[in-house]
Amino acid sequence: MAVITWGNALDWWNILVDPKHKNYPHLGTLNQVAGILSLLTSVFIGLYQIRLAKKPVIQAPRAEEQPQREQPHETASQPAIIPRRSPGIVDRTEEISVLRERLMGGASGVMIVTGPAGVGKAELVEEVLWHLEHAVPGPPLTSRPRVVRHEVVPDLGQDAGIDVGVLVADIENLSDDDAALRKAIGLQHSPLDQLTAALEKHRDTPVVIALKHAECLFDPVTRQLRDPELDEAFEILTKNTQHQVSVVLTMRHPPKSLGRGTWPERWQIAVKGLRPGDFLEYVKRLAGEETLVSNAVAGLHGLLQGNPRNTQLACAAFRFAREAPHELAAEISHRKSRDGVLGFLIQRLIAGLNPLERRALEALDAYGTSVRLDAVCALVVEEHHEPHPSDDVENALTKLVERHLAVKTAQGEYRLSLSEAERKWAGLPNGTGPADDRSYELLRRAGYELHDRRVTRPRSLADLRVALAELRALMRAGDLWDRAYNRVEDELDPELRKRNCVSLLLETREKLRGKLGSERREMANHNALGELYASRGDFTNANQAYGQALEYANLLQSLPCQTVIRANWAGAYWRHFEVETAYGYYELARDDHDKLLHSDPEVYRDLLPLRMNIFEGLADCHRHWGEYTKAIEFARKARSVPESEGYPRTPEVRDLSNRSRVGIGMKLARWHLELGDREGAERLDETVRLELNGHGQDWLESVYQDGHAYLLLGRDVEEATRTAQRAVELAREFTDPVILLQARTTLCLAYLEKNDLDAAARQIEAAMPYRHRGGSLLPPALHALVAAGLDPDSGGDQADERFRLLLAETEERIQQDRHDVAAWDFKGFAGCGLFLYGEGELKDAIAAFLTARTTTRDVLGTREPTPGLVEQWISLLERLDAYGRPPGLLRPVIDVLCVMQARTSGA
């Protein structure tokens, strides 16, 4: 289950609305800050914040889609009129009216507000939400809705921490008591089950959940949610009209459903640039009593394109201008493009800063993340000098906020609000390094300050925000390579490795290459780069990096380093499916480690965790060739290594070893299942479960739950579904893409067993982004299968293309290794899929399946029978066959496998 994070502990969500506050008149404009760096939205005291994720849309629904709840007569009295919040938003009459009427009428489902950055989406939504919170109940509004606000921050990309669990918690209105929250949202039921129950329980309670910057939760190319559970949750909210829960999403582009959901097609409001009349009113509100400013900006509608962000900057530029308004207006009019106007405005605002304000701006830029006032105070003075009074620094920051160059978060922290283009126009150093010695010093000191403010015991990826900002500051400074490298090796790499997120360090390690001044450090960094490239499927660069690392190791005459690099290089060859070469390197690494037992016993013991990985690699190679006996032997050796005398017991080694041990145990259980030994598989499953008792670590539990769900598929599909869902939730909580890929694939299989094709499609669509070419062939095979099932009468263009891609990948792998059992099996499956669309012959598919059962490296040996694996293939082929037109076309292939299974199982 996803971790529930408290909003009052987060650095980037929401701000309280207080009309009497001295800075309140400026809050209404801050929401227009360009791009995804905008971090303001309002919320009432008492509502905790958690993590949420969803998708949007808002066109008038068809009549048959209207809620079945009784609607008030058109002559019914309207809610009492209340004044706008101050300063409010200009009269976007149509957009406000549509959204307000929908929400005040007790509408349910998902509503989407779209539009370009800075156009005023968030402000429009906030205006309507403010009205809802202050409306006097009366027909059609029988009770004032409870409003919950969330804001997604782009710092962590797709790991934004928004999920169905947050949606459920919002509906339930859970308190901030952690124990009560965990009890209410536990792992006993799937999030979607909890959502259904929450809607039933609170069916008469109006709730509006607003999500700002929702585009961070979507794939930027496909515009689909990355989370299939949210996709399904939105569909539930849309189809179930017996509730009063509305989700309002603000994002830049209209979304699409992962499966065949209809929720994106229902309610959508497109926000465009302000119309001339609205633009004029907006300018007057921004300028207030300064008529010279409003008169000057009013004539720039065309150049500013009605964009509120541009308008804010223009008003600020005129407000703080030294020359007469007509002179500044003339200069702006000479700019013929939006970028030209925006750049000019930024430059004018920057030029008007006093020295302290400029230093505050540079301090925020150096930090690169939101920080408290005291952090800014530490950076606006020269080192070892008397600090400025905090009131002076706060005033300087307030001036930056007034100029829309910075924002102030709900927690009172400050953050730069400029996009990359705006930073360039502001004359701030680019991301590749400092512009001068002063910038270098500022970045160096920012690194120290951030280091003192980091979370020392991170529980989630979000907790690493400050540590990652520190690393960025050090890298931008330049000449601090050793210190940056220490941060990577000592702190970030171990934490990110637990979460399978070390790829976040790739760019940093590339920049560090050749700058470390130590052969040993260069060797270690190249070794790590090889691992990162290999994990991405970039074997060319991985090969190069490992080669350079090994050269350093040979130069240092370091047998331990040679052992490590050869083992890692073997892993790269394995990922590239050059299995023979991988096996050879694993053997070399094992032999090198054996030598250390006599030459350096202490180092031998230190490298025992590596020996565990070597044995696991040898086991994987044997399984790849269908040599189960040897595979199981090496896997058992790998699991026993942590029991060796002298095995390192540090917390870091313990965590990684526990993960490997659990993973290998569940891998062994799968292999026994493929051999038809279900009892052996279940014994291993129980062994691993008992080993986990007492660890209490979600990231270990997710590994087990995924494997356990796979074993349950054949006998209890409902429990398999719940278990795989728990694995997904735990993996997402810990941001583990490896388990997310595996568990979502298992969930897809479970939904196929339940004949829920739409849900299966959502799961495999969400799994595919985590799958790299050269990885498991099961996800792309299921991707093609669900496409064939979703629209069998359409000609199957999408399914046909996916089967073609699958066939090409299997043939590429077979060309590399003729004994790749899985590649032969999936080639047969791809051939069957293409046959349904009039391509190829079944005899080729049958030949591929037969080769997978008989191929062996030992010309005198015979392959071990795998009745369990054959049974799984029969199940998938029967499902694919049912999608044929007519069904039954694949019967010859299925019959061959049935005969083979009967022989190998002794029937």
Side-chain angles (χ1 to χ4, degrees):
M1 182 78 190
V3 165
I4 306 293
T5 13
W6 312 106
N8 60 3
L10 295 177
D11 293 334
W12 12 259
W13 304 34
N14 317 312
I15 187 169
L16 298 175
V17 177
D18 181 2
K20 297 180 180 179
H21 192 280
K22 64 178 182 178
N23 290 327
Y24 180 83
H26 305 291
L27 290 179
T29 61
L30 288 178
N31 285 323
Q32 313 303 329
V33 175
I36 51 182
L37 295 177
S38 177
L39 298 173
L40 275 173
T41 197
S42 304
V43 70
F44 270 106
I45 297 177
L47 289 179
Y48 73 96
Q49 300 302 339
I50 321 174
R51 314 184 312 180
L52 171 95
K54 6 240 135 286
K55 251 178 159 177
V57 165
I58 232 181
Q59 300 153 340
R62 296 181 294 274
E64 63 269 19
E65 293 178 333
Q66 293 284 358
Q68 300 304 306
R69 213 179 289 114
E70 182 179 351
Q71 299 296 321
H73 192 272
E74 60 181 359
T75 60
S77 60
Q78 298 299 312
I81 300 300
I82 56 174
R84 284 190 182 278
R85 68 189 183 96
S86 176
I89 189 171
V90 298
D91 270 330
R92 290 186 179 273
T93 308
E94 181 180 350
E95 296 94 333
I96 290 178
S97 176
V98 171
L99 184 58
R100 183 182 175 188
E101 287 178 10
R102 286 296 303 164
L103 295 176
M104 282 189 158
S108 61
V110 180
M111 305 177 192
I112 302 164
V113 181
T114 63
V119 79
K121 304 180 297 293
E123 187 66 15
L124 184 149
V125 171
E126 183 56 37
E127 176 73 12
V128 175
L129 297 182
W130 190 86
H131 273 269
L132 291 176
E133 292 172 318
H134 293 79
V136 178
L141 190 68
T142 57
S143 63
R144 184 179 295 164
R146 177 162 46 84
V147 176
V148 183
R149 297 171 176 86
H150 292 289
E151 182 171 355
V152 184
V153 179
D155 281 9
L156 301 176
Q158 69 184 49
D159 308 307
I162 304 298
D163 54 34
V164 180
V166 174
L167 184 63
V168 174
D170 288 343
I171 296 170
E172 295 276 10
N173 195 24
L174 298 178
S175 70
D176 286 349
D177 188 316
D178 184 70
L181 190 61
R182 287 184 177 273
K183 181 179 179 181
I185 302 191
L187 296 178
Q188 291 78 16
H189 305 284
S190 76
L192 293 173
D193 289 341
Q194 293 179 44
L195 174 62
T196 302
L199 292 175
E200 174 66 24
K201 179 180 178 181
H202 301 279
R203 59 187 301 170
D204 297 321
T205 305
V207 181
V208 177
I209 302 168
L211 181 62
K212 182 179 175 183
H213 297 318
E215 64 270 2
C216 298
L217 303 169
F218 292 76
D219 184 285
V221 177
T222 66
R223 297 182 186 174
Q224 294 176 322
L225 272 172
R226 294 186 173 103
D227 185 344
E229 279 74 38
L230 278 173
D231 191 84
E232 193 163 345
F234 290 158
E235 194 67 9
I236 291 172
L237 286 167
T238 301
K239 289 185 175 180
N240 178 1
T241 61
Q242 303 305 308
H243 64 85
Q244 299 184 54
V245 176
S246 300
V247 175
V248 182
L249 307 180
T250 58
M251 53 194 303
R252 296 183 184 180
H253 304 287
K256 300 176 183 177
S257 175
L258 264 174
R260 307 178 77 181
T262 60
W263 65 265
E265 303 164 5
R266 191 168 183 193
W267 296 100
Q268 187 176 116
I269 295 176
V271 182
K272 301 177 181 179
L274 295 172
R275 293 178 287 270
D278 292 341
F279 173 78
L280 181 59
E281 182 180 347
Y282 186 53
V283 170
K284 289 180 178 178
R285 292 190 181 190
L286 288 174
E289 300 295 326
E290 300 178 70
T291 55
L292 290 177
V293 172
S294 61
N295 291 339
V297 179
L300 300 175
H301 176 268
L303 280 174
L304 300 176
Q305 298 181 350
N307 186 291
R309 166 63 172 169
N310 298 352
T311 309
Q312 290 172 357
L313 294 173
C315 286
F318 277 97
R319 178 180 294 121
F320 297 105
R322 294 188 178 91
E323 67 267 62
H326 71 275
E327 295 175 348
L328 180 57
E331 290 190 62
I332 294 175
S333 298
H334 291 151
R335 273 69 189 174
K336 301 301 182 183
S337 67
R338 176 184 180 276
D339 286 348
V341 171
L342 188 57
F344 175 77
L345 293 173
I346 292 290
Q347 290 168 356
R348 292 307 301 262
L349 289 169
I350 295 296
L353 299 178
N354 66 34
L356 180 57
E357 292 163 359
R358 175 73 193 195
R359 287 196 293 271
L361 182 79
E362 292 169 345
L364 293 179
D365 178 63
Y367 281 127
T369 191
S370 57
V371 292
R372 297 192 304 269
L373 172 63
D374 63 303
V376 181
C377 290
L379 242 59
V380 295
V381 295
E382 298 298 328
E383 198 169 17
H384 308 306
H385 283 60
E386 191 69 24
H388 284 282
S390 61
D391 288 347
D392 291 350
V393 178
E394 187 173 16
N395 288 335
L397 289 168
T398 299
K399 292 294 184 183
L400 296 181
V401 172
E402 291 174 351
R403 285 172 166 82
H404 308 290
L405 302 175
V407 294
K408 186 176 181 180
T409 72
Q411 289 70 35
E413 295 187 336
Y414 295 88
R415 179 173 180 163
L416 201 68
S417 64
L418 301 177
S419 67
E420 281 303 310
E422 291 170 349
R423 287 184 67 260
K424 180 180 177 181
W425 291 321
L428 295 170
N430 60 35
T432 59
D436 48 40
D437 290 343
R438 187 174 178 283
S439 298
Y440 165 81
E441 272 302 305
L442 201 61
L443 289 164
R444 180 186 67 82
R445 291 167 56 200
Y448 279 117
E449 294 293 334
L450 289 167
H451 185 72
D452 291 340
R453 288 167 167 78
R454 75 196 191 286
V455 178
T456 55
R457 294 184 179 181
R459 293 181 55 83
S460 67
L461 191 61
D463 286 344
L464 295 173
R465 174 181 65 87
V466 175
L468 289 168
E470 176 199 1
L471 181 62
R472 288 194 298 270
L474 296 177
M475 295 300 295
R476 286 179 61 197
D479 291 336
L480 296 175
W481 313 121
D482 281 348
R483 190 167 147 206
Y485 180 79
N486 290 340
R487 295 291 178 266
V488 168
E489 292 294 329
D490 298 342
E491 298 180 22
L492 289 170
D493 189 278
E495 290 296 336
L496 292 171
R497 190 170 296 277
K498 292 179 187 177
R499 299 162 173 82
N500 280 314
C501 290
V502 286
S503 59
L504 289 174
L505 298 176
L506 175 60
E507 184 179 351
T508 297
R509 287 194 178 276
E510 287 178 328
K511 290 180 179 178
L512 288 172
R513 190 166 39 196
K515 299 183 177 73
L516 297 175
S518 161
E519 291 172 344
R520 188 169 294 277
R521 286 191 161 203
E522 289 288 351
M523 174 192 66
N525 192 54
H526 277 93
N527 181 52
L529 275 170
E531 178 188 0
L532 289 170
Y533 288 132
S535 67
R536 298 175 58 187
D538 185 355
F539 183 73
T540 301
N541 278 323
N543 201 24
Q544 203 170 44
Y546 281 130
Q548 290 175 315
L550 194 57
E551 284 182 18
Y552 280 115
N554 292 335
L555 191 64
L556 293 167
Q557 296 183 334
S558 172
L559 182 59
C561 293
Q562 291 171 354
T563 304
V564 172
I565 295 166
R566 280 175 174 155
N568 289 340
W569 206 345
Y573 277 112
W574 162 255
R575 292 188 184 97
H576 198 244
F577 286 95
E578 295 188 30
V579 183
E580 287 284 0
T581 306
Y583 195 84
Y585 270 98
Y586 277 130
E587 288 191 312
L588 285 173
R590 180 189 58 187
D591 294 344
D592 286 344
H593 189 245
D594 288 340
K595 294 174 186 175
L596 288 171
L597 177 60
H598 305 290
S599 62
D600 197 335
E602 184 176 352
V603 174
Y604 171 87
R605 290 190 291 271
D606 288 341
L607 290 181
L608 279 171
L610 182 69
R611 189 176 189 85
M612 185 181 187
N613 294 340
I614 292 170
F615 283 148
E616 183 181 5
L618 292 169
D620 287 336
C621 291
H622 283 296
R623 164 59 184 84
H624 172 85
W625 294 315
E627 298 167 0
Y628 281 85
T629 300
K630 291 181 178 178
I632 291 172
E633 176 188 348
F634 276 114
R636 292 188 182 280
K637 284 183 178 180
R639 273 180 52 81
S640 67
V641 170
E643 300 167 6
S644 304
E645 183 180 354
Y647 191 87
R649 303 298 174 189
T650 64
E652 295 79 14
V653 171
R654 180 199 62 214
D655 287 346
L656 293 174
S657 297
N658 285 343
R659 180 189 177 90
S660 294
R661 187 177 169 88
V662 171
I664 295 168
M666 299 315 294
K667 186 185 297 184
L668 272 169
R670 288 190 185 214
W671 293 349
H672 277 278
L673 194 65
E674 291 172 358
L675 290 170
D677 181 11
R678 178 168 285 278
E679 288 186 5
E682 291 178 351
R683 282 196 301 272
L684 279 161
D685 178 82
E686 178 65 11
T687 298
V688 174
R689 187 187 67 79
L690 292 173
E691 289 173 353
L692 278 175
N693 282 346
H695 285 297
Q697 294 169 305
D698 288 346
W699 58 283
L700 276 179
E701 187 70 23
S702 68
V703 179
Y704 168 73
Q705 293 289 352
D706 169 57
H708 183 59
Y710 186 82
L711 298 183
L712 288 170
L713 279 174
R715 55 187 177 87
D716 189 342
V717 68
E718 292 295 339
E719 183 60 26
T721 304
R722 288 190 291 269
T723 303
Q725 181 65 64
R726 286 197 291 270
V728 168
E729 293 299 325
L730 289 167
R732 187 166 47 197
E733 171 185 323
F734 210 73
T735 323
D736 189 330
V738 173
I739 300 302
L740 280 171
L741 170 62
Q742 295 174 190
R744 291 203 188 284
T745 303
T746 304
L747 262 178
C748 176
L749 289 168
Y751 282 123
L752 285 173
E753 286 291 318
K754 296 167 68 173
N755 293 314
D756 189 343
L757 201 54
D758 284 341
R762 281 191 291 269
Q763 291 299 330
I764 203 62
E765 288 286 352
M768 288 301 290
Y770 296 104
R771 192 259 177 188
H772 300 290
R773 186 173 177 83
S776 169
L777 291 168
L778 182 56
L782 294 176
H783 203 216
L785 175 64
V786 296
L790 283 172
D791 203 357
D793 298 316
S794 67
D797 290 343
Q798 189 177 62
D800 182 59
E801 177 62 23
R802 290 178 182 178
F803 280 120
R804 286 173 179 272
L805 291 173
L806 178 62
L807 181 64
E809 188 168 354
T810 60
E811 289 179 337
E812 182 181 325
R813 279 177 49 166
I814 290 169
Q815 195 170 21
Q816 287 180 313
D817 186 349
R818 298 288 300 175
H819 305 296
D820 185 338
V821 171
W824 282 110
D825 270 333
F826 282 99
K827 179 180 180 180
F829 186 73
C832 287
L834 290 171
F835 181 76
L836 294 183
Y837 300 103
E839 299 181 40
E841 299 183 31
L842 280 187
K843 66 178 184 180
D844 295 329
I846 292 173
F849 280 117
L850 289 175
T851 303
R853 312 275 80 76
T854 58
T855 184
T856 174
R857 294 189 303 156
D858 184 357
V859 294
L860 300 178
T862 57
R863 278 283 307 286
E864 295 165 272
T866 54
L869 183 59
V870 173
E871 181 180 351
Q872 294 170 24
W873 277 116
I874 291 172
S875 176
L876 284 177
L877 286 169
E878 286 178 339
R879 190 163 298 281
L880 178 61
D881 184 54
Y883 302 147
R885 288 294 178 267
L889 295 174
L890 302 181
R891 212 51 246 178
V893 185
I894 297 171
D895 289 343
V896 169
L897 289 177
C898 285
V899 171
M900 191 175 299
Q901 184 193 32
R903 289 175 179 172
T904 57
S905 62

